[in-house]
Amino acid sequence: MSTFEAQLFSEIDKLRVHLMNNVDFKAESQRSVGEISPDEILTRIEGVILGIVTSLSRDEVPILVLPNRSSRANVSFDSAVGLQMSSEHSVTSVRSDCPSSVTKFAQILKILSVIYRLVQSNSYATKRDIYYNNTQLFGSQRTVDSIIDDMSCMLKVPRRSLHVLATSKGLISGDLCYLEEDGTRIDCHSNSAAVSVSPNIAGIRNIVSSAKFIMIVEKDATFQRLLDDDFCTKLSPCIIITVCCFCLSHSLFLR
């Protein structure tokens, strides 16, 4: 190994130690949110629906209360966690009797029903899947994306725990072996072929890797070009991964 490569890996090790030292109690609490059981998620959704039914039974107008994500005052930054909703955040109301919000009210209920079925059946869908299953109701992909983020904040559950994925594809290659939830052993050491990552990243276990660093790549074409150039061999040991698998890369780096 050349002097330059040794110095590069030394700086990477320093950065890794710095990041690990920043994982304090708040970060641990943040990760524990991702461990909410499916039954708890279903209970929270049922609580929202129960509130609507209760309002109707009392001859009251059903109203959904959502955290106001558009206000900067509701967002705080923590060096160990990143951006997060403030504990004392303001809210917005979506009324079912107001012409300007009745459509959004219906869209929210539709997406809640989709999420409920996904969690209940332990299946997954992408945001794009949800949009194309009812384009007339949603109107645009942006609407679906925004509502799903609202649901994540309202239910206080990470989006991945709602079984909704940003994309169906996730690629990885390099110095890594792991077991999927069903017990399948995955070896990512191939220099010519990428491994498709399971949608259920939370179910991955028994991770074995001696990689010095992880490179996160945005475009699949760039990922393939790095493979063709033997990137993982030239800078071994390392891992390259597409950006949609960021949660997996985070757990690898801080393991």
Side-chain angles (χ1 to χ4, degrees), residues 177-207:
C177 291
Y178 62 85
L179 290 180
E180 292 190 337
E181 188 176 27
D182 61 1
T184 303
R185 184 177 182 275
I186 303 297
D187 189 340
C188 305
H189 285 84
S190 173
N191 295 326
S192 59
V195 174
S196 294
V197 180
S198 167
N200 185 17
I201 293 177
I204 291 176
R205 63 187 189 277
N206 291 6
I207 298 173

Side-chain angles (χ1 to χ4, degrees), residues 239-255:
I239 295 171
I240 55 175
I241 191 168
T242 51
V243 70
C244 57
C245 296
F246 175 76
C247 293
L248 175 58
S249 66
H250 182 73
S251 64
L252 286 171
F253 197 75
L254 297 177
R255 66 187 176 85

Side-chain angles (χ1 to χ4, degrees), residues 71 83 85 99 109 116 127 135 143 145 153 164 169 174 191 218 246:
S71 173
L83 291 175
M85 292 292 293
L109 290 185
Y116 191 91
K127 294 178 179 179
T135 56
T143 298
D145 296 349
C153 290
V164 178
K169 295 189 294 182
N191 295 326
E218 181 178 2
F246 175 76

Side-chain angles (χ1 to χ4, degrees), residues 44-64 96 105 109 112:
R44 295 185 185 187
I45 296 175
E46 289 167 357
V48 174
I49 301 304
L50 179 61
I52 294 174
V53 174
T54 301
S55 295
L56 291 172
S57 67
R58 295 173 179 173
D59 202 23
E60 299 173 350
V61 176
I63 300 175
L64 292 173
S96 60
F105 190 92
L109 290 185
L112 276 177

Side-chain angles (χ1 to χ4, degrees), residues 229-245:
D229 291 342
D230 292 331
F231 179 89
C232 292
T233 300
K234 294 175 181 177
L235 291 179
S236 178
C238 66
I239 295 171
I240 55 175
I241 191 168
T242 51
V243 70
C244 57
C245 296

Side-chain angles (χ1 to χ4, degrees), residues 5 28 35 94 97 101 109 126 132 153 167 170 190 202 238-239:
E5 289 176 335
E28 293 295 331
E35 299 173 359
V94 181
D97 65 340
S101 62
L109 290 185
T126 65
Y132 278 108
C153 290
T167 175
S190 173
C238 66
I239 295 171

Side-chain angles (χ1 to χ4, degrees), residues 72-109:
R72 291 186 179 182
N74 287 341
V75 180
S76 62
F77 177 80
D78 187 284
S79 60
V81 179
L83 291 175
Q84 58 183 356
M85 292 292 293
S86 301
S87 57
E88 299 295 331
H89 57 261
S90 60
V91 297
T92 59
S93 298
V94 181
R95 299 177 62 90
S96 60
D97 65 340
C98 180
S100 62
S101 62
V102 65
T103 299
K104 184 173 183 178
F105 190 92
Q107 292 167 341
I108 290 173
L109 290 185

